[in-house]
Amino acid sequence: MNPLAPDILFEKIDAIEAAVYDLLLLADPSRDCIEEYLRQSEVYTAKRGGELVGVLVCLQHSAALMEIKNIAVKEDLQGQGIGKQLLTKAIALAKDKQYERVCIGTANSSIGQLYLYQKLGFEVNEIIHNFFTDNYPEPIFENGIQAKHMIILTKELDT
Ligand code: COA
C-alpha cells in the first residue's frame, strides 16, 4: 500500500471513547470547549486497518456554513497524508449537506495547519485578536511563537 495514500475508513460515532477523546485534546487543550461543541456536532473517526488514526468534528454554524471544530491525527502517524484526507472528507461532507462554505479556526502559531488548510483552498477571512490569551489559562507556544490570535479560514464550496 502506498503510505502517502492510506486506505482510511470514516465512521460517524455517537459515543466518545477515551482514545477518541485523547485525539480531540491534541487539537484543543480545553475540555470545556470540547464538551461544549460535542453537544451540537457530528463526530467522525478515521480508521486504517481497524486502527483509530484520526478524528473529525463538524458543526452546523448556520444554514450556509459548516465549521470544522476539531481535526486531529494520532501523533505517531502525522505527516503521512491522513490530515489531508480528514480535511478532504470534511469538505465532501459539507458539499453533500449543501453548505455554501466550510470554515476552520487555528492559531497564528499553527504554521503547519495554516499551510495545510490554505493548500486545500481555505482562505483567511477573519482574525479574532487575543482569542487564546483571553480564553486559555496558560500561555500556548508552537514553533517558538505564542498562540495569541485565532485565524479563521473559509473555503467556498462552489469553486
Ligand atoms: N508543519 C509543516 N507542514 C505540515 C505540518 C506541520 N506541523 N502538518 C502538516 N503539514 C503539511 C505536510 O507537510 C503536508 O504537506 P504536502 O501536502 O505539501 O506534503 C500537508 O501539510 C498535509 O500533511 P498531512 O500528513 O496530511 O497532515 P497530518 O496527517 O500530520 O495532519 C494535522 C495534520 C494538523 C491534523 C495533525 O498534524 C494534527 O493532528 N495535529 C495536532 C492537532 C491539531 O493541531 N489539529 C488542528 C487544530 S486547528
Side-chain angles (χ1 to χ4, degrees), residues 2 13 15 17 23 27 35-36 39-41 55 66 70 74 81 92-93 98 111 115 120 122 124 135 152:
N2 179 353
I13 58 164
E17 59 188 55
L23 288 178
E35 297 300 333
E36 176 72 26
R39 279 197 279 277
Q40 315 155 59
S41 301
V55 69
M66 186 186 96
N70 193 306
K74 209 174 156 197
L93 282 168
Q98 316 283 314
I111 304 302
Y115 168 86
L120 288 198
F122 287 75
V124 173
N135 290 289
I152 310 287

Side-chain angles (χ1 to χ4, degrees), residues 26-27 71-74 77-86 104-107 110-113 115-117 119 142:
L26 287 180
I71 180 168
V73 172
K74 209 174 156 197
L77 299 175
Q78 291 174 6
Q80 297 182 12
I82 298 170
K84 198 185 278 185
Q85 291 201 47
L86 284 166
I104 187 163
T106 194
S110 299
I111 304 302
Q113 290 81 343
Y115 168 86
L116 170 59
Y117 305 155
K119 200 161 176 202
E142 297 174 291

Side-chain angles (χ1 to χ4, degrees), residues 106-136:
T106 194
N108 59 285
S109 51
S110 299
I111 304 302
Q113 290 81 343
L114 287 165
Y115 168 86
L116 170 59
Y117 305 155
Q118 290 178 87
K119 200 161 176 202
L120 288 198
F122 287 75
E123 292 188 15
V124 173
N125 77 328
E126 190 184 346
I127 299 175
I128 306 176
H129 288 278
N130 301 314
F131 177 86
F132 292 97
T133 43
D134 287 349
N135 290 289
Y136 287 78

